[in-house]
Structure formats: C-alpha cells, structure tokens
Amino acid sequence: MDDATRKKMLRLGTRLSHEDGFRILAQGNQDGHVVVLLSGVVKVVAAGENGDVALLAIRVGGDVVGELAAYDGNPRSADVIACGEVVARSVPRAAWTRFVEHTPKVHAPLLRMGSERFRWADQRRVEFVANGSYSRVARVLVELAKTCGCPTDARCTLPFALTPVELGSLAGIKGRTAERHLSALKSAGLLVSGSGQTVLPNVAALRAVAESGR
C-alpha cells in the first residue's frame, strides 16, 4: 500500500511486544480485534474436535491476522502463537472496521493478501493429488523460505523450528511420514534443524526435489 495509507494503519490501536510462545490470539475466543504484525514470526494453529493440533500457516511482519473475526463476528478459528519476539499493533474491531470502510486505498492490498492465502490453500490441495509426499514436504519448505523473504536460493534460515507433525499439517501428511521425509532431507544435506530455527542450506536443490513430484 502507499506510504500515507500505511502510516494511517500503523497509528491504529496499541503497539505490543510478545515473547516466544505467547498466544496472541486464542481459538474460540469471541474478541474481534485485529493484529498487525510489525516484525517477527507467528504460527497459526488450530485444534480439531479430537484434540489434534494442525499448523495452518506461518505469518511474518507485514501480515494481518485475526481479521476474519473482525469482519464476521464469529469466534476465532485458530490460535496465533509467537515464534520468538513479535512486535505488533492490536487494533480494536470497531477501529479496524472504520479504517477499512473509510480508506478505499487499503481495499486492494487486503484483497491481494486474501487472494494469496486462498491460492496457497488451493495449491496445497492440488499438490495432494498431483505429487508424492516427499516432494510436498520440500515444496512447503520452499514456500516458507519465500514467505520469510530469504534473499538467495543458496541458503535460508527460517527463524522458527517445525515439528514433524506441524510440517505434516502443512503438507497434508501424517507426522510419522513427515518425520521420515525430514530425516531424508537431513541426510541429503538439505535441512538442518534445532536451536529454535530451521536452516535450508540449498534452497535451489530443495526446489528441485519439490518439482520432482516424488
């Protein structure tokens, strides 16, 4: 969005800092405020009726989270949890709605953001049918590198750790299958994890795996 619209948005609400593991938004809550992420990374996770927890998405500085509850008034559909330190602005529902209604220049950026999220979800469904589970895991990691703005195909450090269950959620596979594929990627020198981060030593080679369809 243009500078004037961005500055107007960044004056909304209250600036807050959250530590690693802090639950910024809680699934099922009826609060309707919107969170504008200024810096840091968050996980969007949801629990099913059987208690299993799925990782739905990773969001980074520049993203908006919690807007659906502000628009439709329904309970939160997922938790949003800080990965490391996160700086954000918490915007009350009324202030956010008023801003969107009276700021036409924000409409296109918000529509693009929503469109990108729907495309990402649709692409995961297509890959589930068209590609093997190993390539889907690699593809998710490549997409996360893109989300985090890694500037090179050679190496990328994601500022968060992913469990096999979480990665499996994004790739549409069971945690045990994801764990096997993660071990294979580590053996191939394409993945290093630990100390609260995930290192992709060669994103270009990882992309080749993603495109192999295996």
Side-chain angles (χ1 to χ4, degrees):
M1 63 184 69
D2 63 85
D3 287 342
T5 304
R6 184 183 300 106
K7 289 178 181 178
K8 184 177 180 180
M9 183 180 71
L10 295 180
R11 288 195 294 267
L12 298 172
T14 304
R15 182 184 175 99
L16 299 171
S17 295
H18 303 295
E19 296 181 350
D20 180 47
F22 183 82
R23 188 165 64 170
I24 299 171
L25 298 176
Q27 183 177 357
N29 276 10
Q30 291 281 357
D31 52 18
H33 62 281
V34 172
V35 176
V36 180
L37 301 175
L38 303 181
S39 64
V41 178
V42 301
K43 291 179 179 179
V44 183
V45 300
E49 293 182 357
N50 62 355
D52 289 344
V53 176
L55 175 62
L56 304 181
I58 297 289
R59 302 289 182 233
V60 298
D63 279 328
V64 175
V65 293
E67 74 281 5
L68 293 182
Y71 294 146
D72 61 25
N74 288 325
R76 301 284 185 195
S77 58
D79 288 343
V80 174
I81 300 172
C83 301
E85 184 178 355
V86 172
V87 180
R89 295 197 73 87
S90 178
V91 185
R93 179 183 183 185
W96 178 259
T97 302
R98 187 165 54 250
F99 167 68
V100 173
E101 288 178 349
H102 296 286
T103 313
K105 288 186 177 180
V106 80
H107 296 170
L110 290 178
L111 284 173
R112 283 196 298 271
M113 181 187 73
S115 176
E116 289 173 0
R117 294 177 181 180
F118 281 122
R119 285 181 183 275
W120 194 92
D122 286 345
Q123 188 60 37
R124 299 288 81 74
R125 295 186 180 95
V126 171
E127 289 169 2
F128 184 81
V129 175
N131 296 292
S133 57
Y134 185 55
S135 65
R136 294 207 306 273
V137 169
R139 191 177 295 268
V140 165
L141 290 170
V142 170
E143 289 292 328
L144 290 176
K146 180 181 177 181
T147 297
C148 292
C150 287
T152 174
D153 267 357
R155 182 182 177 88
C156 175
T157 299
L158 306 177
F160 49 84
L162 287 171
T163 68
V165 171
E166 290 174 333
L167 189 59
S169 299
L170 292 176
I173 60 178
K174 296 291 186 180
R176 280 179 291 183
T177 303
E179 187 172 9
R180 187 174 71 250
H181 293 329
L182 286 174
S183 295
L185 290 171
K186 289 177 180 178
S187 297
L190 297 178
L191 174 69
V192 180
S193 61
S195 301
Q197 62 183 21
T198 303
V199 180
L200 310 176
N202 190 332
V203 176
L206 189 64
R207 183 177 290 107
V209 174
E211 294 172 354
S212 70
R214 295 165 55 189

